[in-house]
Amino acid sequence: MEPAGGRRAVRQVHQGGRGRGRHPPRRRLHQRARPHRRARRAGRRRRAGRHPVPGRYRLDQGGVPRGASDRRRAAARPARGQPRRGGRDAAGGGGRAAERRDRFPGRLPDGLHRGDRRLGVRRGERARRRPVGARLTVRARLIRPPALRTGDAERASSWLELLFDLVFVIAVTQVGLALHGNLSAPGFVRLAVLFVPIWWAWVGYTNYADRFDSDDVVFRLLVLAAMLGMSVVAVAIPDTFHHRSQVFAVAYAAVRALLIVLYLRARRHVPAARPLCDATISVFVVGTALWLGSLAVPEPWRFLVWAAALLIEGATPWLARRAMAAVPYHASHLPERYGLFTLIVLGESLAAVVFGVRGGDWRAGSMTTAVLGFGCAAALWWLYFDGVDRAAVGRGLLARNTFIYGHLIVALGLTLFGVGIKEAILASDGGDLPAGGWWALCAGPAMMLVALALVRQAARQPGAGRAPLVESAAAVLLLAVGAIGGHLSPELLTGTVTALLVATVATNLLTAQAEAA
């Protein structure tokens, strides 16, 4: 006799109410094996001292997962007089929930990331700051993403930055040697055309390293490649205005392209600095395109394209002023870097004194001029390192930008002084000092004094007092001496410049002492 509903109902009973066929549907292989996989994983993690999922197993009053064996429960039983684990009377309180959080935390401690498990850090370990000599994986040692470093308390120039400066020493020396052979108005214009790109290349990498220096393999390789590009720029300087300017343009564009790559890397890893990176990358892309586009322009007009590119790149501190306010410079590292570069350029002036003496006949005139030239260099060192306020980079937009642009004038003035003192030493043995020589000897220190006065005034340096006024007056007197330099002997001209600089140093010291009293 058929059941109610007929044969269709019988088929539904055998099929379990769904599907077709005579037998109930079987579970798939991976569905049947899943509980066994979970059990094996849980066993391996339990033996390794880690729990697979926090809170998966509940703990009893003894701190042992429920369902554990009697032997394990007896081993976990506290001694007489000791508080039970996981109970309300345990040290720290919190009951079983606190015990479960202590044994199997749901997240890693503060300061550690998911990838730190590969570094030997397991769940449940206390978070502590990783020491300098901690074990790291090969990738962590070689590749570290950029991070904002303007908040570091103690920071000094790295060895890579010092090596980077040495390449620019070669470039500055090449610029000075190029001016020696052409001490005329076009020669000074060529000096500016060659010196300003070198300066801005150094400023670009210095400002980037001040904020995002990661000192990993990627950063080092990119900076070393930029150093190689600057070496090519230095080699191309003597022939730049002799139908070889395309080498200078291509090498400089390569240096800029590497800096763009660094900023793209910082933009990816430092979200807070993305507005600054976007503005800087946009300006540098336009400047690099102009440098490469100048190759299609004939050489007399090519330098105008270079000037346009330099104006665009030089406007970066003003175009990105809002983004720079959100990502400030380091208060001590950046002034130190600019001071080191100034010291390097000043060292070129001392080298010019040595080379001038070596090229002479060791007579009384050349030796006297050399000694006076050394006194000039010492006075310029005194004025700079006692006069520039290191905290100017943190006192607003005007003070920061005046500090940056002012150092361009300082470096250019010191380069001119080095050329002028060498020409004066060579002319002390009876030769004639050309007009470009005495103007370089007088205008170079004057430019530096004007730049120092502007930096002091813009920063509103405490205790500066009348120093900007004194330095401005000394610059005017130096220009007046340069106007009559053709009527003075090289020894007298160098002595007059030295006397004015020493008098400026003495006046600043006396004024500062009087105001302090």
Side-chain angles (χ1 to χ4, degrees), residues 4 6 39 127 148 155-156 175 191 200 204 206 234 256 310 343 388 423 434 501:
L148 194 60
R155 189 178 172 193
V175 171
L191 172 70
W200 278 117
T206 300
R256 279 300 187 198
L310 291 175
L343 191 64
V388 174
E423 293 292 334
L501 293 176

Side-chain angles (χ1 to χ4, degrees), residues 43-241:
R44 285 196 299 267
R45 294 184 181 183
R46 206 177 299 115
R47 287 191 295 272
R50 294 178 291 138
H51 206 274
V53 181
R56 173 66 63 87
Y57 301 104
R58 298 177 61 85
L59 303 178
D60 60 6
Q61 293 294 328
V64 181
R66 291 185 177 180
S69 62
D70 296 337
R71 182 180 302 175
R72 184 178 178 186
R73 193 179 302 278
R77 185 177 297 119
R80 180 175 298 180
Q82 297 294 332
R84 293 187 300 174
R85 296 177 57 189
R88 292 290 180 180
D89 54 347
R96 289 178 297 185
E99 179 67 22
R100 185 166 61 249
R101 288 194 301 268
D102 292 339
R103 287 177 58 85
F104 311 118
R107 62 183 179 86
L108 291 175
D110 295 336
L112 299 178
H113 305 281
R114 294 293 176 185
D116 289 335
R117 296 182 190 174
R118 295 174 294 181
L119 311 181
V121 180
R122 299 189 306 177
R123 289 183 184 269
E125 290 188 0
R126 296 186 58 185
R128 54 181 179 273
R129 188 176 297 276
R130 188 181 299 142
V132 177
R135 290 192 312 161
L136 299 175
T137 61
V138 176
R139 181 173 180 177
R141 289 184 180 182
L142 298 182
I143 301 177
R144 286 191 296 271
L148 194 60
R149 299 194 58 190
T150 54
D152 295 353
E154 296 293 337
R155 189 178 172 193
S157 299
S158 64
W159 298 114
L160 182 62
E161 289 176 325
L162 298 179
L163 180 63
F164 187 73
D165 293 344
L166 293 180
V167 178
F168 284 86
V169 171
I170 301 173
V172 172
T173 303
Q174 289 286 80
V175 171
L177 293 176
L179 181 61
H180 275 295
N182 188 9
L183 289 171
S184 59
F188 287 107
V189 174
R190 292 179 179 182
L191 172 70
V193 171
L194 294 175
F195 187 86
V196 174
I198 296 172
W199 164 257
W200 278 117
W202 182 88
V203 168
Y205 280 88
T206 300
N207 291 351
Y208 174 86
D210 181 73
R211 293 187 176 101
F212 310 112
D213 184 5
S214 56
D215 198 26
D216 61 336
V217 172
V218 177
F219 176 76
R220 290 185 178 186
L221 290 178
L222 290 174
V223 173
L224 290 174
M227 292 168 58
L228 180 61
M230 283 307 304
S231 301
V232 177
V233 169
V235 172
I237 285 175
D239 297 330
T240 299
F241 295 98

Side-chain angles (χ1 to χ4, degrees), residues 28-46:
R28 295 181 180 179
L29 181 61
H30 71 275
Q31 293 178 346
R32 289 187 296 167
R34 184 176 298 171
H36 304 287
R37 291 181 183 176
R38 291 176 179 174
R40 285 196 297 269
R41 291 174 187 167
R44 285 196 299 267
R45 294 184 181 183
R46 206 177 299 115

Side-chain angles (χ1 to χ4, degrees), residues 204 211 256 259-260 263 273-286 316 320 323-324:
R211 293 187 176 101
R256 279 300 187 198
L259 184 59
I260 293 173
Y263 270 104
R274 284 176 182 171
L276 172 64
C277 294
D278 292 338
T280 306
I281 290 171
S282 302
V283 173
F284 286 167
V285 166
V286 174
T316 305
M324 286 185 177

